[in-house]
Amino acid sequence: MLHTTFRQLEVFVAVVDAGSFVAGADRLGITQPAVSNHIRSLEAQVGCVVLERRRGTSCVLTEEGRNLYDRALQLLDNAEKLASELPRGLRRQSRTQLKVWTQLPIMMQWLRPVVVEVMRGNPDVELGVELGSFETVVQQIRDREVDIAYFLGHGETAEFASEVVHTEPHGIFAPADHPSVLEFQKNPEALRDLPLILPKRNSHFFRVIDKCLMQAGIDRYSVACEVRDAPIIRELILSGHVGSMFHYVVEDDVKSGKLVQLVELPAMEFRQVYQPRATCARVAGHFAAEAREAFARSARARRDRAEPPMSSLIARPVG
């Protein structure tokens, strides 16, 4: 069974009708690399080349491409007729669309009220919010199919340009009664031999944590468990393991004496990719401004708390 999407067929037809990938991209209002990716995916699904690429000339349909083009026209025409026959309330109305992508921790702790505020102030906007791992959205951002994206990082990424819009403190925590806690006070080098709870290897977030550990002087470590869900990491730490965590997640556990911070890691960066299409520039600006205010409120609240900064058993980088 083929898993070709209507979007892939729509892009294919646009390229054929316009005469080239560049003209097809202009007609659809997307980038030429995005068009190329859709065509490559389509050819992978159907198992053959549908367009012959000729440098400096228009693309040409292969025999298989001609058959697919005729079928694609029929399918798209039938889909349009079906949409027109739906009850009025079920039809997709023409609305300004804004596509935002972020990671779950950022959404749950900071961006939920932003989504509510933007929807309240822009009733004519169709807001699409997607959550997922960094790896799932890289190509969409490159193809400019995402208007705004927020992700956790530490330094510039090689995949695309971004800017820091917030920083959040985090560190390595352990149970207060962990047998090695006193040893760390005497010998910070012991941290290098202790298995840590870390994100999945080879993931973007693992690379981010690894950079932070290296900057803190922890250039050697082992992994006890690979998981990225904050509540699970917290429970594992409380049960006797050692792992990295945002301060706000374990703040109450530290205050109650259940956990201690072994070492302060460099602040985690919240990075923003801002590349709105012209059709949604106004609402994208509104969303970005509300997000910046949400991050600023969080930073002010952290500064205004009466409690002193979270102390570490290891005040300086290891080594």
Side-chain angles (χ1 to χ4, degrees):
M1 179 178 179
L2 289 178
H3 296 283
T4 300
T5 66
F6 278 100
R7 181 58 170 171
Q8 289 170 350
L9 295 176
E10 182 184 28
V11 171
F12 171 58
V13 169
V15 169
V16 175
D17 290 347
S20 70
F21 280 47
V22 173
D26 290 341
R27 177 173 294 191
L28 294 169
I30 60 178
T31 65
Q32 188 272 324
V35 168
S36 298
N37 288 332
H38 282 299
I39 298 300
R40 278 197 298 269
S41 296
L42 175 62
E43 291 178 329
Q45 287 292 333
V46 300
C48 62
V49 175
V50 297
L51 288 169
E52 291 183 0
R53 286 76 158 173
R54 297 179 179 178
R55 185 179 297 275
T57 65
S58 60
C59 54
V60 178
L61 280 169
T62 63
E63 182 178 351
E64 294 84 357
R66 168 58 62 183
N67 292 331
L68 179 62
Y69 176 76
D70 294 337
R71 295 293 184 90
L73 287 178
Q74 294 175 10
L75 286 171
L76 293 172
D77 183 59
N78 288 336
E80 186 174 345
K81 289 178 180 178
L82 177 61
S84 67
E85 293 169 1
L86 289 172
R88 187 176 183 86
L90 296 180
R91 296 180 191 173
R92 183 183 181 89
Q93 298 180 1
S94 178
R95 295 159 61 87
T96 300
Q97 297 178 348
L98 175 68
K99 188 171 182 181
V100 178
W101 176 90
T102 187
Q103 292 168 310
L104 183 61
I106 300 177
M107 172 58 69
M108 297 304 294
Q109 187 69 18
W110 289 274
L111 295 185
R112 282 190 300 174
V114 174
V115 171
V116 173
E117 177 61 28
V118 171
M119 290 302 297
R120 180 186 295 120
N122 300 274
D124 59 330
V125 169
E126 179 182 326
L127 177 61
V129 179
E130 293 189 17
L131 305 176
S133 66
F134 179 87
E135 290 76 14
T136 63
V137 79
V138 168
Q139 194 59 52
Q140 293 183 60
I141 293 176
R142 284 175 172 169
D143 292 343
R144 302 186 72 85
E145 294 183 359
V146 173
D147 298 301
I148 311 175
Y150 297 94
F151 62 95
L152 302 173
H154 189 66
E156 288 283 356
T157 62
E159 291 81 1
F160 38 72
S162 62
E163 63 174 323
V164 177
V165 291
H166 179 63
T167 59
E168 191 70 19
H170 71 131
I172 298 178
F173 294 87
D177 59 355
H178 194 284
S180 299
V181 165
L182 293 178
E183 182 180 356
F184 291 139
Q185 290 177 293
K186 302 174 183 177
N187 177 27
E189 294 278 341
L191 191 60
R192 290 193 172 105
D193 300 318
L194 193 66
L196 302 177
I197 302 168
L198 293 173
K200 185 178 179 181
R201 285 181 176 89
N202 299 322
S203 68
H204 168 77
F205 197 37
F206 181 92
R207 293 191 292 272
V208 169
I209 296 295
D210 182 69
K211 286 182 181 179
C212 293
L213 291 170
M214 290 287 289
Q215 191 170 331
I218 306 170
D219 56 358
R220 186 182 73 248
Y221 55 84
S222 59
V223 179
C225 179
E226 295 181 7
V227 61
R228 66 182 182 188
D229 185 77
I232 296 177
I233 296 175
R234 174 180 171 272
E235 289 300 322
L236 287 171
I237 296 175
L238 286 169
S239 70
H241 296 278
V242 178
S244 65
M245 182 58 64
F246 284 118
H247 285 190
Y248 76 86
V249 177
V250 295
E251 191 171 35
D252 290 340
D253 298 313
V254 172
K255 289 179 182 178
S256 66
K258 295 178 182 178
L259 298 181
V260 294
Q261 180 171 257
L262 299 181
V263 60
E264 176 78 4
L265 295 175
M268 184 73 71
E269 296 174 351
F270 289 22
R271 304 190 73 92
Q272 174 188 270
V273 176
Y274 186 75
Q275 52 182 31
R277 293 158 294 166
T279 55
C280 63
R282 179 189 61 81
V283 68
H286 184 189
F287 192 102
E290 291 291 336
R292 286 181 181 273
E293 179 54 32
F295 294 138
R297 283 196 302 270
S298 175
R300 288 195 298 269
R302 188 170 68 234
R303 290 194 300 267
D304 293 344
R305 282 195 291 266
E307 297 83 357
M310 198 171 289
S311 59
S312 301
L313 297 184
I314 303 174
R316 296 187 301 274
V318 178

